[in-house]
Amino acid sequence: MSPIVTPFTGQADEWDGFVRSQPGWTHFHLFGWKPLMVEVFGHDCPYLVARETDGTISGVLPLVRVRSALFGHYLVSMPYLNYGGPLGSTEAVRALATAVEAMARSGSVKLAELRSRQPLAIDLPVSHRKITVVLDLPAETAALSKALGSKLRSQIKRPEKEGVTVAFGPDQVEPFFAVFAHHMRDLGTPTQPLALFAAIQRTFPDDAWFGCAYYQGKPIAAGAGFRWNSEFEMTWASALSEYNKLSPNMLLYWAFMQRAVDAGLGLFNFGRCSIGGGTHRFKSQWGSRDEQLWWYQVADTPEAATPSPDAGAYSWGPRIWKRLPLAVATTIGPHLVRGIP
């Protein structure tokens, strides 16, 4: 008999206990993301659970409804993040995917997207437009340094010689955001709000890492990400272009890697990117390997996709955004990005 899929009405401990028991779980499957999405963005979060006839959980699916007049109506697991999708038994995963398909078909949803890190036994079209890049970590930083090779080591030492330092901690949230918002404006992309990162630090104080590289007292590169299981993912990273000659991002990544090794983690995840782009090349130079992502979709038309500046309909956006004063872009950006999953 197929599991019964319903909205989840239980406690966070029940959800997270099941999530942590499943192979392939990620930080973004944890229940804490639901109240965070509601608090920061005001999104409806129809988290789903599959239960057997005796009430036992056999599958879960974190799901967020992203709706705006400008961009349309989406159901995504998980928006703004790299991973999501159903976890559980084969039967439960299929039942959850079927439930999402029914929600999308009946609710005028432009696109439902299940951002799985692994292939699923479901009959839905899948997008491979994104990959993630990972590096296996040794037990000691000396071994990692040796594995990187002399060229990378010299690139890491250069900012150190110039006086660049790296600091970690919850007090780095605002400096991180200052760099991140500036960098996003320069890219021509709306920024997430400071409220998102502040809420992340409050909700996940032990899992969320914020770090900044400083030069002469000013934050010039910054990163933030999450540890789970035996892995750390650098979810966001930015640097100010006027300091590129110092290569602060090299020292920043090295500092995060050192922290991951010191924490006994076995995998450093550089986060998602598009194949062959500049970001992919930067991540590949560390001796890493690519992992294909499996983003399953239910679309109302064959052309449906999440909004992207690469699409013709939005290609004008980055050209205009880059010219905005930083304060204006930082104020307006969060209102736009709310509708871009």
Side-chain angles (χ1 to χ4, degrees):
M1 185 174 180
S2 179
I4 300 171
V5 175
T6 61
F8 180 74
T9 58
Q11 299 299 310
D13 287 349
E14 182 185 22
W15 178 282
D16 287 349
F18 179 82
V19 165
R20 294 178 189 277
S21 72
Q22 298 302 301
W25 73 278
T26 72
H27 195 275
F28 313 117
H29 287 93
L30 296 175
F31 193 79
W33 285 97
K34 180 176 181 178
L36 190 153
M37 289 285 176
V38 174
E39 173 194 342
V40 176
F41 299 106
H43 290 323
D44 173 39
C45 299
Y47 275 36
L48 302 179
V49 62
R51 294 185 186 271
E52 302 301 316
T53 54
D54 62 359
T56 303
I57 293 180
S58 56
V60 296
L61 174 61
L63 194 62
V64 179
R65 190 185 306 277
V66 179
R67 193 200 304 256
S68 74
L70 180 60
F71 298 112
H73 184 186
Y74 301 88
L75 283 170
V76 186
S77 177
M78 288 285 289
Y80 321 120
L81 302 166
N82 300 335
Y83 317 118
L87 295 175
S89 68
T90 299
E91 294 76 12
V93 167
R94 287 173 177 164
L96 289 162
T98 298
V100 170
E101 185 172 11
M103 291 171 65
R105 301 296 187 201
S106 65
S108 300
V109 172
K110 185 175 183 179
L111 178 70
E113 189 164 66
L114 307 179
R115 296 178 173 178
S116 178
R117 191 173 177 180
Q118 56 193 357
L120 303 174
I122 58 178
D123 188 22
L124 288 177
V126 63
S127 169
H128 291 307
R129 69 183 185 275
K130 296 293 183 180
I131 60 170
T132 195
V133 181
V134 298
L135 175 68
D136 294 307
L137 296 175
E140 298 179 353
T141 54
L144 176 60
S145 178
K146 183 178 180 180
L148 293 180
S150 59
K151 180 179 179 180
L152 276 181
R153 288 197 299 270
S154 66
Q155 290 177 312
I156 292 167
K157 290 177 181 177
R158 179 180 179 183
E160 285 185 309
K161 292 178 180 178
E162 296 290 340
V164 178
T165 59
V166 177
F168 290 97
D171 59 337
Q172 299 303 309
V173 173
E174 290 193 11
F176 161 84
F177 181 74
V179 176
F180 177 75
H182 195 154
H183 178 73
M184 295 300 282
R185 193 286 309 268
D186 291 350
L187 290 177
T189 303
T191 181
Q192 295 284 5
L194 173 59
L196 170 64
F197 303 108
I200 285 171
Q201 180 58 48
R202 289 195 309 271
T203 306
F204 307 110
D206 297 325
D207 301 339
W209 294 0
F210 287 87
C212 291
Y214 288 84
Y215 179 64
Q216 298 180 346
K218 178 180 179 178
I220 61 172
F226 304 89
R227 62 169 294 175
W228 70 86
N229 209 0
S230 61
E231 177 174 355
F232 172 81
E233 182 200 75
M234 183 80 97
T235 311
W236 299 281
S238 305
L240 301 183
S241 58
E242 57 263 43
Y243 294 95
N244 281 349
K245 63 180 181 180
L246 297 177
S247 301
N249 54 340
M250 298 299 293
L251 180 60
L252 179 78
Y253 271 81
W254 171 248
F256 271 94
M257 290 178 192
Q258 282 185 304
R259 188 175 183 188
V261 170
D262 291 343
L265 304 182
L267 196 69
F268 187 90
N269 187 330
F270 289 86
R272 83 181 189 216
C273 61
S274 299
I275 298 174
T279 302
H280 185 205
R281 291 192 293 273
F282 172 84
K283 296 173 180 181
S284 297
Q285 69 179 326
W286 298 86
S288 53
R289 66 178 187 276
D290 298 345
E291 287 187 354
Q292 184 67 69
L293 297 182
W294 300 72
W295 289 8
Y296 293 89
Q297 300 178 325
V298 181
D300 63 351
T301 66
E303 299 80 22
T306 53
S308 169
D310 297 329
Y314 304 110
S315 60
W316 53 269
R319 295 195 297 271
I320 294 175
W321 205 263
K322 291 178 181 180
R323 299 176 181 176
L324 292 178
L326 179 59
V328 174
T330 303
T331 300
I332 299 174
H335 299 285
L336 286 176
V337 83
R338 177 185 179 277
I340 306 175

